[in-house]
Amino acid sequence: MFINRINKGNCGYFFIAPFFIVFLLFGLYPILYSFYLSLTNWDGLNDPEFIGLANYTRAIIDPLFLQSLFNTFFIWIVSVVPQLTVSLVLAVILTNTFLIGKDFFRAVYFFPNIVTAASLGLLVSLMFDWQTGSVNQLLMSIGFLDQAIDWKNNALFMQMLVSAILFFQYFGYSMLIYIAGLQGISPEYAEAAKVDGASKIQIFFKITVPLLKPIIIFQVITSLIGGVQIFDQPYMLTEGSGSPNHATLTSVMYLYRTAFEQGRFGYGATIAFCLFVVIVSLSVISYLVSRNRSKIA
């Protein structure tokens, strides 16, 4: 009887229509148009020339695009592993009921996340300048170095530096996500384990980590999506050059350079869709691997 009294008129469609109209205009249409552009050769001024899958064929064998993909994932892996590990440890410590000042430490650790990525990249770039940077000046003043080091000419060091910036900026954010997950776990599990004689380490690895698995998967997938889009930090750190020897040239930097500096918008759209395919594929793989491990456990 209650269902029969529900108004089944069409007025509800008027209330939800604004969202779908905005999504179609500013969400779906740009995506479909970008895909169309990825099938064309377009310089942004003349009419797009349809060339089919030629851009995709070119992307597969483009050494600079492949190198940018490798750089992106190397920087991401080096930053995300310590980031998720340290943030989990800090989250466990800062959820201790008897810890004094834990709210203060939470705010301090989260502070780097509110600083813009471009500002951090520029700041670190100035710090590691080989002529006027504070790092060389400090190391020489304490006698650790005899002469200034050109840090920005070392490919591996620059990749590690970008990873360090990403770690510094996002570990506080990851820590808060873990804290939210830990607060959702009932303390009764840990209390029952203590009664059975389990140590704190056993409780952490046998109870806390398995119950946090959905949060860990969320962290990995969201960090993957964000990691593939690394742009601001390496761009500001190297003034857009991706030096040395393209070691810090990420995929999004290559996309930006291709589309907006060289005016090859069709090939730029192709790179964007290749990144989209990579992100979706790795996200699905991460989900399937974690689900299979849950079944085995």
Side-chain angles (χ1 to χ4, degrees):
M1 294 180 62
F2 175 75
I3 296 177
N4 293 332
R5 290 199 299 269
I6 295 177
N7 184 1
K8 298 182 180 178
N10 296 325
C11 296
Y13 292 109
F14 289 101
F15 292 97
I16 63 174
F19 166 77
F20 287 100
I21 292 174
V22 172
F23 172 74
L24 290 174
L25 289 178
F26 300 103
L28 185 61
Y29 173 73
I31 292 174
L32 296 178
Y33 188 68
S34 297
F35 179 70
Y36 163 71
L37 288 180
S38 71
L39 304 175
T40 66
N41 183 19
W42 187 43
D43 59 3
L45 297 175
N46 301 308
D47 293 334
E49 177 189 0
F50 186 79
I51 56 175
L53 298 175
N55 281 333
Y56 289 93
T57 305
R58 178 182 179 180
I60 294 174
I61 59 174
D62 184 353
L64 203 52
F65 175 58
L66 297 178
Q67 183 180 356
S68 70
L69 272 178
F70 172 80
N71 294 338
T72 301
F73 284 104
F74 179 79
I75 292 171
W76 174 73
I77 291 174
V78 173
S79 68
V80 78
V81 172
Q83 174 190 324
L84 297 184
T85 305
V86 172
S87 60
L88 178 58
V89 173
L90 286 174
V92 172
I93 295 174
L94 294 179
T95 50
N96 190 324
T97 310
F98 302 102
L99 183 66
I100 299 174
K102 57 184 178 183
D103 292 334
F104 170 77
F105 288 108
R106 290 177 183 178
V108 169
Y109 291 139
F110 184 73
F111 179 75
N113 190 251
I114 64 177
V115 181
T116 61
S119 301
L120 281 175
L122 180 61
L123 175 63
V124 175
S125 176
L126 295 174
M127 288 173 60
F128 282 89
D129 186 273
W130 77 280
Q131 290 180 313
T132 60
S134 58
V135 174
N136 275 334
Q137 298 297 328
L138 175 63
L139 294 177
M140 287 191 294
S141 65
I142 62 177
F144 194 79
L145 292 179
D146 295 328
Q147 58 183 1
I149 296 178
D150 189 2
W151 304 97
K152 295 183 180 180
N153 201 30
N154 187 312
L156 180 61
F157 177 80
M158 290 299 290
Q159 290 176 331
M160 301 297 286
L161 191 58
V162 175
S163 300
I165 297 173
L166 293 171
F167 167 81
F168 176 74
Q169 186 174 11
Y170 294 110
F171 84 96
Y173 172 80
S174 300
M175 180 197 68
L176 289 185
I177 300 295
Y178 278 132
I179 289 176
L182 289 170
Q183 290 176 340
I185 298 176
S186 174
E188 295 178 355
Y189 296 112
E191 293 172 0
K194 287 180 182 177
V195 172
D196 292 337
S199 64
K200 290 184 178 180
I201 295 178
Q202 289 175 321
I203 293 173
F204 176 74
F205 285 105
K206 299 293 184 181
I207 295 177
T208 304
V209 172
L211 291 176
L212 270 181
K213 186 169 287 184
I215 303 298
I216 295 173
I217 296 171
F218 170 79
Q219 296 267 44
V220 172
I221 293 177
T222 53
S223 65
L224 172 65
I225 295 172
V228 176
Q229 302 178 55
I230 300 171
F231 175 78
D232 307 66
Q233 299 89 346
Y235 189 87
M236 296 303 296
L237 190 63
T238 63
E239 299 178 352
S241 64
S243 60
N245 299 324
H246 305 299
T248 55
L249 179 69
T250 62
S251 299
V252 178
M253 282 179 65
Y254 186 53
L255 186 159
Y256 177 82
R257 179 184 294 181
T258 302
F260 299 102
E261 292 183 357
Q262 300 175 358
R264 296 183 295 164
F265 291 94
Y267 190 50
T270 303
I271 295 173
F273 269 88
C274 288
L275 291 178
F276 170 75
V277 172
V278 170
I279 291 173
V280 171
S281 301
L282 293 179
S283 299
V284 171
I285 291 173
S286 300
Y287 172 76
L288 293 177
V289 170
S290 60
R291 190 181 65 172
N292 291 336
R293 287 186 176 179
S294 300
K295 289 180 178 179
I296 293 173

